[in-house]
Amino acid sequence: MPFQQVVFAGGGNRCFWQAGFFLAINAKQPLNIEKISAVSAGSAIACMLSAKKTNEVLTQFVGAVAKNRKNFYLTNIFKKNTVFPHANMFRSAILNNIDEETLALLHQGPDILIQVSQLPNWLGPRSGVLAGLLAYKLEKKLKHPIHPTYGKNIGFKPEVVSIRTCQSPEELADLILSSSCTPPFTPLMYRQKKPVLDGGIVDNVPLDALGDNTKKTLVLLTRQYQTILPSTNLIHYVQPSKPIPISSWDYTNPCGIQAAFELGLRDGEAFADKVIISSTH
């Protein structure tokens, strides 16, 4: 499995499938990855894998989700607490596991490129959020493509940022949350004082963010597609063997998160066995 690059698609909680899959194939045959592109929660998984802290993050996050009773706290409208707990829980999962020393190790590892979506100049923050999310949802409903185009067609542009530019764990957390920015689950995020949204609005499978299409690349999806793009000598797409039993932003279902990870382990082991066996014949 001489993959040199990996793409982590977005998908919220479903991205724990990617973690299981990657750990399983790496256990069978260690991968020497040079570059990673990622978006949304896939970017958090990519960092946790590179930092070798996936099991710690999984345990902690499953525990936090088990204690969280609701995805929406209506009574907090009249309090200082947030109505949606997602952003605080997401940020805590990052900062509880990435300190200055871990960040330095990440800088020495494969270059992780995280994609965010810049809003069109003709849209303000509120209208941009509405237009971007509607375009994404509509295209997913009508076409369900692996690489969406509606966001680009109305003027959203990708911004690709290397984690090596992040000088603190807080900067990295801001970058990951910017790539995952999906109001109302998260607040609107800003880069260079300009609003940005989830990088998946431009492309939820950020293959183009790698820039280099001459190296063997493994693309880790988080959804099942009826028609998956054919693999080539350089690009290999993989998807879950069955629908992952949890939605992107359900932070009340610890069993679903654990199930996503375990499905990834099984799928990764099967993939590795198939590739290793085929490579010996």
Side-chain angles (χ1 to χ4, degrees):
M1 293 182 291
F3 296 110
Q4 298 155 301
Q5 302 182 142
V6 184
V7 177
F8 287 83
N13 289 322
R14 295 193 307 273
C15 292
F16 279 102
W17 176 88
Q18 298 171 325
F21 189 96
F22 189 89
L23 287 178
I25 63 173
N26 202 56
K28 291 276 187 178
Q29 183 174 333
L31 301 176
N32 185 22
I33 301 301
E34 300 172 6
K35 189 185 292 186
I36 294 169
S37 67
V39 69
S40 195
S43 63
I45 296 298
C47 289
M48 295 303 116
L49 286 164
S50 186
K52 295 180 170 55
K53 288 198 171 186
T54 307
N55 289 321
E56 293 93 328
V57 173
L58 176 65
T59 300
Q60 292 174 22
F61 194 64
V62 165
V65 168
K67 295 176 182 177
N68 180 51
R69 296 179 294 107
K70 301 177 182 178
N71 287 310
F72 178 74
Y73 290 86
L74 181 62
T75 57
N76 284 351
I77 292 177
F78 308 104
K79 303 176 183 178
K80 292 183 179 181
N81 296 329
T82 57
V83 174
F84 294 92
H86 305 77
N88 288 339
M89 293 175 67
F90 198 175
R91 184 180 291 273
S92 294
I94 298 166
L95 295 180
N96 287 344
N97 291 279
I98 296 182
D99 54 17
E100 296 285 351
E101 182 179 354
T102 304
L103 182 62
L105 290 174
L106 284 173
H107 285 176
Q108 296 169 19
D111 194 10
I112 301 177
L113 305 172
I114 297 179
Q115 181 170 287
V116 302
S117 293
Q118 295 180 348
L119 276 64
N121 293 330
W122 54 276
L123 289 174
R126 291 184 179 179
S127 58
V129 168
L130 181 61
L133 296 180
L134 282 176
Y136 179 79
K137 292 290 186 182
L138 181 63
E139 185 171 17
K140 187 170 69 172
K141 182 73 172 177
L142 295 178
K143 296 184 176 181
H144 198 53
I146 291 180
H147 295 286
T149 60
Y150 282 14
K152 291 179 183 178
N153 291 342
I154 63 174
F156 283 86
K157 296 180 180 179
E159 178 184 0
V160 180
V161 184
S162 170
I163 65 163
R164 293 175 181 173
T165 66
C166 296
Q167 299 303 307
S168 69
E170 290 75 18
E171 280 190 38
L172 178 58
D174 283 342
L175 176 58
I176 292 172
L177 282 164
S178 293
S179 181
S180 309
C181 181
T182 311
F185 298 111
T186 68
L188 185 61
M189 300 294 293
Y190 289 82
R191 286 185 55 79
Q192 286 87 45
K193 298 182 179 181
K194 293 183 178 181
V196 293
L197 285 176
D198 190 307
I201 289 175
V202 172
D203 191 345
N204 198 49
V205 185
L207 180 61
D208 289 345
L210 288 171
D212 188 347
N213 59 1
T214 64
K215 296 182 178 180
K216 293 206 71 171
T217 302
L218 178 64
V219 183
L220 299 179
L221 306 173
T222 61
R223 294 187 179 94
Q224 283 194 316
Y225 294 84
Q226 289 184 349
T227 302
I228 192 168
L229 296 178
S231 295
T232 67
N233 289 334
L234 292 177
I235 301 172
H236 194 98
Y237 289 83
V238 291
Q239 63 182 1
S241 59
K242 62 182 181 180
I244 298 173
I246 189 169
S247 62
S248 298
W249 289 104
D250 185 1
Y251 279 21
T252 65
N253 185 357
C255 294
I257 293 172
Q258 187 69 40
F261 178 74
E262 292 175 1
L263 177 62
L265 287 174
R266 294 193 298 271
D267 288 349
E269 289 173 358
F271 176 80
D273 288 341
K274 180 180 178 181
V275 172
I276 291 173
I277 290 171
S278 64
S279 66
T280 59
H281 289 78

